[in-house]
Amino acid sequence: MYKILVCMWYDEEIKEYADIFRKINEKYCNEQGYDFFYCNKKYTNKPASYNKIFMFKELLDKNLYDYYVWIDADAHINKTDFRLEYYINGYEDKDFIWSGDITPNINCGVFF
């Protein structure tokens, strides 16, 4: 069993709806035995989405988890019986696991 941390970052600008998704994701993590981390610390004056990079670096430097999962503040895990290990198995030798998108591109809204 992997030690997994699910992370979200958002600020006051989107708090109204992001709080709803945070509660859903936190509940999912509690039910599945994952740790959950939310942050609103402002790391940079760049656009808000850049803050996840600095937050992730800070968390990775602590090296407390086997996997760190990012989920955007406008997204939630809707299959409450679904395990994140499903996405990890078979990719343990990879540094990043990106989610797909409806386009041929990667989706930066969810990654491991």
Side-chain angles (χ1 to χ4, degrees), residues 10-62:
Y10 60 89
D11 58 14
E12 291 295 317
E13 252 182 73
I14 62 170
K15 183 177 177 25
E16 183 177 347
Y17 66 84
D19 277 349
I20 295 166
F21 294 118
R22 183 180 94 199
K23 288 175 186 172
I24 293 168
N25 291 329
E26 191 168 14
K27 182 177 186 267
Y28 167 80
C29 288
N30 289 335
E31 291 172 354
Q32 294 296 328
Y34 305 130
D35 288 341
F36 180 83
F37 179 77
Y38 154 71
C39 181
N40 65 356
K41 176 180 172 183
K42 187 167 176 144
Y43 292 90
T44 181
N45 289 327
K46 294 181 184 292
S49 62
Y50 280 76
N51 284 284
K52 71 180 165 191
I53 298 166
F54 296 97
M55 180 197 77
F56 240 76
K57 181 182 180 332
E58 188 173 89
L59 292 170
L60 287 170
D61 286 346
K62 293 177 184 178

Side-chain angles (χ1 to χ4, degrees), residues 88-107:
I88 297 168
N89 294 331
Y91 297 99
E92 294 88 352
D93 62 331
K94 305 298 180 194
D95 292 327
F96 278 91
I97 302 170
W98 301 98
S99 62
D101 200 14
I102 59 172
T103 69
N105 301 316
I106 60 170
N107 180 334

